Amino acid sequence: MRSIIETPPGLVTLTFALLLSTGCGGPGDPLSRQETEETESPEAMAKGDSRDAAIDRIRHAMDRREHATAEKLSRAALLRYPNDVAILRLAADVAFATGQPAVAAELVAEAAVADGFADEQLVQNAVLAFVGTGRLFELIELLDQVVAAYPERHESRRLLFDFLVNAEDHHRATPHGRILVRERQFDRVLLFSLATIEQRNMETHSMKELQNRNPDDPRLKIAEVRSNVDLGKWNEVEETILEILRHSPNYTPAQILFGQYIVYSHQLDRIGEWLECVTDETKDRWQYWALLGDVAGRRGNREQAARAYLESVRKNPDVGEVLAKLARTLEQLRRSGASIDKATITAVNQRAQLLSRFSQEKERLYKLGNRSNAIIIQMSKTLVELGRLWEAEAWTAYAMTIPDDDAASVRAMRQSIVDRLTADTPWRQAPPPLLANLDLRHYPMPETDLIASPTSNRSDALIRPSVKPVLRDETEALGLVTEANARWHRREADGVPLYAQMESGGCAVDYDLDGWPDLYVAAAGGTPGQFDSPNNSMFRNLGGRFADVTHTTDAGDTGFAQGVTFGDVNEDGFPDLAVLNYGTDRILINNGDGTFSPRDNWLSTDRESPWSTSGAIADLDGDGISDFICLKYCAGMDAATVTCRKEDGAVSPCLPTKFAADRDAFFRGRPRGGFEEVTDRWAAAPLQPGRGLGLVVGDLDATDGIDVFVANDMTHNHFWTFNRQDGMKESATLRGLAVDARFRPQACMGIATADLDTDGDIDLFVTNFEQEHNTFYEQTERGIWADRTALRGLVDVSFSQLGFGTQAVDFDNDANLELAIANGHVYQDAEPPSSYAQQMQVLHRVSGSRFEAFEFDASEGYVGREHVGRAMWTLDADRDGRNDLAITHQTEPFTVLMNRTPVDHHWVRFRLVGVDCSRDAVGATVTIQTDHLTRLAPLVAGDGFYCANERLIHFGLGPDHRHDDSISVSVKWPDASEDHYQLGQDQTYLIVQGDDHAFAVARESQSLGSGM
């Protein structure tokens, strides 16, 4: 990004002169000894001087390096001729020579003002003098006057624009940027800066250098504050922002950041402190109204929230975060009975999505070195849809300077925009009529007195502490070490290539229906698109120990495997396998006799889309036949064939954003077996394709029908629902699941799906890249989620980690779920504080709202050591009522961690079989109630990143449950029918839809009803 220290080439010499000469001519300079020989005081000599004589005397003293004399002469001259340009300039030279650069800067600026800014070199000298002394805000004031007097001076306007952006005053910078674009005085940096207002994308070292030069002005720390607010580093914000406000209480950017700090860090009891300091100028900014909307919304006053958000949109209709919140609030009001047209909500949400798409396209361009005309064309199309034609044309004009194969397409795109532009074309065309005409004047404005009143948040009382889990690596003892695993290696001199960075996953599937979970573990290592990788492995569970039955089961696919899932695709009662490859995906049909048969013709599709990642088998359309969802990552085979290099020419792993994202594939199950792709027929075309990695399918919002949540890498997430009239509908933005709380897409991977806060609905925990945070999406009302990561204390604990697989597991059966996370970087040379290998984490609730991480040390084995973790899934390998974990890695074999936590809390679990719905019953929900607690859990498929859990619903009953306490169990099936039971503890129950009785499965049983 452009540095505010940067100066035009012609001024470099003077800049260095200013910086290097500061302090010259001070006391002790041997050349100043003659100054002591003067017999008459300079003041006396200058008293009767004419202007010209005064100038000559000052110059003569300077030529003789009699600096003290020159200083006295210049002071006297300034008293007589205070607005004389030549004297002001000479006085500035004297001040500089006598080691007073700040005084020199003021004098040069006064000279420029006195000159009416006619002499451009004098203005440039003033700019350099202010920069050299760190006087940024005085410089901004000067340049404001310059461009007002000489609007045609584009260089001065550009400097003003850049300085304002660095000072976090986008509101004042934006008009100047728009003029520069219209006047054809722009470059890529200006276009980026003009389009990025929701978070800081400028470097901060220039502002820190200015701080060093002018430590008395804390406003120069504003960039540091903004960066810390963007990163959620709350401990580093308050002291600095308050220091700035004490120095400059009317500084609008600081007032805004103070409000954002209070609201984003959930200190709503301090909102009155902020409101007391805001000025009328701040109240005219979109950020002020957005923050009022946030506060009103969190206090439950949706009408005031909607009114505030709309006011913010009126002031700036190009902030996707605010538009998304407005759409979500309107939807909440509509659900509660307000007369709000759904089409209006759709229009507001659509604009939010377009802005998000543009932001992601812009970020992708930046990460590819700003050299992709194909991306710029897409950016320009999005800007046209947003009504921002001048920007769209400017981007295409920039693209025409880039040597690229798409030059003809760029020219055509630019011409189509130019044909629509006239001198009268506004910078931004009017928003869609439904948005432009939205009238909420019948809703009250936020009442600041009410907003500032104390609030009582949800109880944050401490809860009974969870027992620290004991998780032991017993892989070898379980019989799970194979020759192929022992030869495992994945460290390469040039770094692990992109296509191999995510490794492979696996699943826990009871393929032989003996009641014991078996393990299927995928493998890569060969060539994407080929069948030359090591075999995937099937391990049969023989009563708590495993045997490798890969060859006898014919389950050893050799494609370049990524994820694995299972489900009964032909409704015969036996779980089948789906292997997701970078290449040809495979369906392996369970023959019911301990073997599998490939069905290569079962995934019928006409499109070339080779890189599959995660998948799920579930009945999406409610016809009783399982369908199939297959996530896609980068389009085509380029990610496996293109070599990327660093600036020095060294080979380096490619970034995912180098390659276009691919659309996920939806397949409908055929009555006679097999699948047909219905992605287009079901209208499963998101506004922007994502690089899908994590997947969960189930009833996530407690409404009829199955939902699909997709965690995308570096693009916004997707949330799909199905209806027979319109097919699949994507609504992640409207539901609050597309991005984080600041409307930023993250590098999402794993998903833990559960009622994590025990309030009776389903929350989602998503793992992300380092220097992002893992995200806790809390379902705040039916079908609406909010990023509550900061409120849950989960920002700092994950900031330096790169999370992959994650699961919600009650390790100690205390009825409170823990979050287990497999961490590990994708880069072998990851920069501190991150690292390539990382410890896994287990997070536990310590209060009604907050989580903390358990601390493990090396004496505790696997959990205390660092690994390059990838997929993670759950199973109870020995059926002792305690859930275990399986984890794959980049640099070591997969591991099974047996749960040896020393507790005697009771538990209950359920295996569900559908009759009127699909046999797998994905989309069912189980609720249990005892004298002490109520808990809910969904039956889901997908299970996050590259994996599938053992298909059981498990509940810990907690320390208060007694042996003879009854458990009320309610099952809501995917077709909305319900069954109810009274059951005991410490059992696994088989529940068949519509049966009056639940069947307790004996632990020693070796047959779970193979005739079903």
Side-chain angles (χ1 to χ4, degrees):
M1 289 297 164
R2 184 182 177 97
S3 167
I4 66 171
I5 305 299
E6 183 178 79
T7 54
L11 305 178
V12 172
T13 302
L14 181 54
T15 300
F16 278 102
L18 281 170
L19 296 177
L20 296 176
S21 301
T22 300
C24 291
D29 188 334
L31 295 178
S32 66
R33 284 179 296 186
Q34 297 180 27
E35 299 169 9
T36 62
E37 301 173 4
E38 295 285 352
T39 59
E40 184 179 3
S41 72
E43 291 88 345
M45 290 189 295
K47 187 173 182 180
D49 280 350
S50 66
R51 170 186 176 276
D52 292 342
I55 291 173
D56 287 342
R57 283 184 180 274
I58 297 170
R59 285 175 175 167
H60 179 69
M62 288 292 287
D63 289 343
R64 297 176 61 189
R65 303 195 66 175
E66 297 172 355
H67 297 148
T69 299
E71 183 179 7
K72 293 176 182 178
L73 288 168
S74 64
R75 287 176 180 172
L78 284 172
L79 289 174
R80 295 190 65 191
Y81 308 103
N83 297 313
D84 187 280
V85 175
I87 289 176
L88 284 166
R89 295 180 73 164
L90 268 175
D93 290 341
V94 172
F96 181 75
T98 55
Q100 303 176 75
V103 174
E106 289 288 351
L107 290 168
V108 174
E110 288 181 33
V113 172
D115 186 49
F117 311 112
D119 186 339
E120 291 190 59
Q121 185 61 53
L122 181 58
V123 172
Q124 291 175 344
N125 290 348
V127 170
L128 290 169
F130 274 140
V131 169
T133 56
R135 310 286 289 279
L136 174 64
F137 297 93
E138 293 84 349
L139 173 55
I140 287 173
E141 183 180 347
L142 176 72
L143 288 172
D144 255 333
Q145 298 176 62
V146 172
V147 298
Y150 293 94
E152 72 280 3
R153 289 190 184 172
H154 302 310
E155 183 177 317
S156 294
R157 190 182 298 277
R158 175 58 187 273
L159 286 171
L160 177 58
F161 173 83
D162 286 341
F163 292 142
L164 285 168
V165 168
N166 271 278
E168 290 301 323
D169 203 340
H170 293 266
H171 180 82
R172 291 171 60 192
T174 296
H176 297 292
R178 292 175 177 176
I179 290 171
L180 289 167
V181 169
R182 284 176 175 265
E183 296 295 327
R184 320 304 298 161
Q185 301 294 318
F186 61 85
D187 59 14
R188 170 185 52 81
V189 176
L190 184 144
L191 294 177
F192 266 104
S193 299
L194 193 60
T196 304
I197 59 175
E198 293 157 303
Q199 66 180 31
R200 184 175 179 87
N201 72 334
M202 303 290 287
E203 47 75 32
T204 59
H205 70 267
S206 297
M207 293 291 281
K208 289 180 180 177
E209 177 60 29
L210 292 180
Q211 290 175 45
N212 295 334
R213 300 175 185 185
N214 184 14
D216 294 332
D217 190 346
R219 290 176 296 176
L220 295 169
K221 299 178 182 179
I222 196 72
E224 171 189 334
V225 173
R226 177 62 189 271
S227 295
N228 286 331
V229 167
D230 287 341
L231 295 172
K233 294 183 176 180
W234 310 128
N235 294 336
E236 302 177 31
V237 172
E238 176 152 345
E239 182 179 348
T240 306
I241 193 66
L242 292 179
E243 178 190 6
I244 295 173
L245 288 171
R246 283 192 295 269
H247 177 273
S248 303
N250 295 329
Y251 182 34
T252 295
Q255 291 182 7
I256 290 170
L257 282 170
F258 184 41
Q260 291 176 335
Y261 160 62
I262 286 175
V263 174
Y264 297 161
S265 63
H266 302 277
Q267 301 181 66
L268 297 191
D269 55 332
R270 297 182 60 190
I271 201 69
E273 184 181 343
W274 171 60
L275 290 171
E276 287 178 0
C277 82
V278 297
T279 60
D280 288 342
E281 182 179 353
T282 298
K283 292 177 182 179
D284 195 44
R285 304 286 177 95
W286 67 264
Q287 296 98 325
Y288 170 79
W289 292 99
L291 289 171
L292 289 188
D294 289 346
V295 177
R298 291 187 195 175
R299 293 183 185 276
N301 195 325
R302 292 172 184 159
E303 292 183 349
Q304 290 188 7
R307 184 74 185 272
Y309 287 142
L310 182 58
E311 187 69 18
S312 180
V313 170
R314 293 278 186 260
K315 295 183 180 301
N316 190 340
D318 288 329
V319 184
E321 175 184 354
V322 182
L323 284 156
K325 289 176 178 177
L326 174 59
R328 201 171 306 132
T329 305
L330 293 174
E331 173 65 15
Q332 291 170 318
L333 288 166
R334 187 190 68 81
R335 292 183 182 185
S336 62
S339 180
I340 299 175
D341 184 13
K342 202 164 185 178
T344 298
I345 299 173
T346 300
V348 176
N349 190 62
Q350 176 83 357
R351 186 169 184 86
Q353 289 183 294
L354 285 171
L355 287 163
S356 178
R357 184 175 76 182
F358 174 70
S359 177
Q360 291 165 55
E361 290 162 346
K362 178 163 57 69
E363 181 71 10
R364 184 179 172 217
L365 177 68
Y366 176 71
K367 289 184 176 180
L368 292 181
N370 308 299
R371 302 182 67 82
S372 172
N373 283 351
I375 297 175
I376 293 176
I377 289 172
Q378 186 57 54
M379 289 169 57
S380 300
K381 289 179 179 178
T382 303
L383 286 169
V384 169
E385 288 187 73
L386 289 166
R388 291 157 57 174
L389 298 182
W390 288 103
E391 265 181 289
E393 188 279 330
W395 277 106
T396 57
Y398 163 68
M400 292 180 68
T401 68
I402 304 173
D404 195 293
D405 292 340
D406 288 324
S409 300
V410 170
R411 284 195 297 270
M413 181 69 196
R414 181 172 181 270
Q415 189 60 51
S416 70
I417 299 169
V418 169
D419 290 344
R420 298 174 58 179
L421 283 173
T422 69
D424 297 326
T425 301
W427 178 263
R428 181 196 302 112
Q429 295 178 326
L434 288 172
L435 173 57
N437 298 329
L438 179 59
D439 187 356
L440 299 180
R441 284 177 294 177
H442 55 290
Y443 288 158
M445 279 288 194
E447 300 173 16
T448 55
D449 291 343
L450 180 61
I451 284 178
S453 63
T455 183
S456 57
N457 289 329
R458 181 177 169 177
S459 173
D460 203 32
L462 296 177
I463 63 175
R464 189 174 297 171
S466 297
V467 176
K468 182 178 177 180
V470 177
L471 301 173
R472 294 178 180 163
D473 179 358
E474 300 183 15
T475 311
E476 186 173 354
L478 291 168
L480 290 167
V481 175
T482 67
E483 183 180 354
N485 284 345
R487 294 198 305 266
W488 200 272
H489 62 89
R490 263 284 189 270
R491 196 170 184 94
E492 303 184 23
D494 296 327
V496 179
L498 172 63
Y499 62 82
Q501 286 175 357
M502 267 96 62
E503 204 42 60
S504 304
C507 65
V509 53
D510 182 12
Y511 80 91
D512 54 3
L513 298 183
D514 65 355
W516 293 85
D518 310 302
L519 278 169
Y520 188 73
V521 184
T527 308
Q530 304 297 320
F531 289 95
D532 60 357
S533 293
N535 281 314
N536 298 342
S537 299
M538 176 68 82
F539 299 94
R540 186 183 182 196
N541 190 336
L542 301 173
R545 281 186 54 84
F546 291 83
D548 187 341
V549 294
T550 305
H551 298 297
T552 58
T553 57
D554 295 324
D557 184 63
T558 58
F560 195 90
Q562 301 290 273
V564 175
T565 192
F566 69 89
D568 189 357
V569 300
N570 56 3
E571 302 292 331
D572 67 350
F574 290 92
D576 310 297
L577 293 169
V579 181
L580 293 306
N581 290 322
Y582 193 165
T584 302
D585 299 326
R586 305 298 292 273
I587 296 292
L588 301 177
I589 294 297
N590 190 334
N591 298 316
D593 60 359
T595 66
F596 289 82
S597 297
R599 293 288 189 272
D600 292 341
N601 61 341
W602 272 39
L603 293 176
S604 175
T605 179
D606 294 328
R607 66 182 175 122
E608 183 69 20
S609 187
W611 195 344
S612 303
T613 55
S614 294
I617 295 167
D619 180 12
L620 297 180
D621 58 1
D623 65 355
I625 300 172
S626 292
D627 308 306
F628 179 51
I629 310 100
C630 177
L631 301 191
K632 301 293 182 178
Y633 198 61
C634 297
M637 293 298 297
D638 285 353
T641 58
V642 171
T643 299
C644 295
R645 297 183 183 276
K646 300 178 182 178
E647 291 183 2
D648 62 3
V651 174
S652 175
C654 298
L655 291 172
T657 48
K658 180 174 180 61
F659 311 103
D662 203 356
R663 288 172 59 192
D664 299 329
F666 290 78
F667 294 86
R668 183 174 182 269
R670 293 176 172 139
R672 295 189 178 184
F675 298 96
E676 59 176 333
E677 184 173 1
V678 290
T679 308
D680 292 332
R681 189 193 311 171
W682 282 0
L687 192 64
Q688 182 175 21
R691 297 172 186 84
L693 289 177
L695 175 65
V696 169
V697 180
D699 182 5
L700 306 179
D701 60 0
T703 60
D704 291 343
I706 291 181
D707 312 302
V708 178
F709 176 63
V710 180
N712 287 317
D713 184 9
M714 305 172 76
T715 52
H716 59 69
N717 302 322
H718 295 150
F719 188 97
W720 297 98
T721 51
F722 178 85
N723 68 70
R724 295 190 180 280
Q725 289 72 37
D726 303 320
M728 303 299 295
K729 179 181 179 182
E730 201 285 305
S731 57
T733 300
L734 188 62
R735 293 174 180 271
L737 290 169
V739 288
D740 73 357
R742 300 294 308 282
F743 209 65
R744 298 171 296 199
Q746 297 175 293
C748 301
M749 284 161 279
I751 309 169
T753 309
D755 182 7
L756 295 169
D757 53 2
T758 64
D759 65 348
D761 53 31
I762 305 305
D763 310 302
L764 298 165
F765 178 78
V766 179
T767 57
N768 298 308
F769 209 79
E770 66 153 335
Q771 297 190 37
E772 298 175 342
H773 56 72
N774 296 335
T775 306
F776 187 106
Y777 291 110
E778 178 186 340
Q779 191 164 181
T780 55
E781 66 176 85
R782 182 170 50 85
I784 301 291
W785 284 263
D787 177 355
R788 293 286 190 258
T789 311
L791 189 64
R792 298 297 180 190
L794 292 170
V795 173
D796 292 342
V797 75
S798 62
F799 192 75
S800 62
Q801 308 296 312
L802 198 164
F804 273 90
T806 183
Q807 298 296 337
V809 187
D810 186 358
F811 288 111
D812 59 353
N813 285 329
D814 69 345
N816 289 310
L817 293 164
E818 286 81 54
L819 286 165
I821 308 165
N823 294 315
H825 217 289
V826 296
Y827 300 134
Q828 297 171 351
D829 57 352
E831 296 182 1
S834 192
S835 59
Y836 187 42
Q838 302 173 5
Q839 276 190 262
M840 71 169 286
Q841 292 174 298
V842 178
L843 312 177
H844 63 107
R845 286 175 68 195
V846 294
S847 68
S849 66
R850 296 186 69 80
F851 285 77
E852 289 182 359
F854 283 116
E855 296 291 334
F856 299 101
D857 59 45
S859 67
E860 296 171 272
Y862 179 97
V863 293
R865 300 183 184 125
E866 294 184 337
H867 310 270
V868 188
R870 291 298 183 256
M872 171 188 284
W873 64 99
T874 63
L875 72 161
D876 185 358
D878 56 1
R879 292 178 57 183
D880 66 350
R882 293 176 292 184
N883 278 322
D884 312 308
L885 296 174
I887 305 173
T888 61
H889 309 89
Q890 186 79 51
T891 56
E892 59 187 295
F894 76 93
T895 297
V896 173
L897 298 180
M898 296 301 292
N899 183 0
R900 302 304 185 196
T901 308
V903 294
D904 56 3
H905 300 154
H906 297 289
W907 54 274
V908 66
R909 60 172 55 135
F910 306 96
R911 187 185 302 274
L912 306 183
V913 176
V915 174
D916 296 320
C917 62
S918 174
R919 294 181 63 91
D920 287 337
V922 172
T925 302
V926 176
T927 303
I928 66 164
Q929 185 171 4
T930 72
D931 292 339
H932 307 286
L933 57 79
T934 299
R935 293 290 186 268
L936 169 146
L939 185 66
V940 300
D943 297 311
F945 176 78
Y946 280 28
C947 71
N949 296 330
E950 183 179 5
R951 196 64 56 79
L952 292 173
I953 293 179
H954 177 100
F955 295 97
L957 299 177
D960 297 323
H961 189 84
R962 298 294 175 260
H963 183 72
D964 56 352
D965 290 348
S966 179
I967 306 169
S968 298
V969 180
S970 298
V971 181
K972 181 183 177 184
W973 299 92
D975 61 3
S977 63
E978 295 188 18
D979 289 320
H980 304 275
Y981 307 92
Q982 292 292 127
L983 302 173
Q985 69 283 323
D986 300 337
Q987 292 283 349
T988 298
Y989 290 96
L990 173 66
I991 296 180
V992 179
Q993 184 181 16
D995 277 11
D996 294 333
H997 301 285
F999 303 95
V1001 180
R1003 182 177 183 277
E1004 64 276 8
S1005 171
Q1006 292 296 304
S1007 176
L1008 192 60
S1010 59
M1012 288 186 300

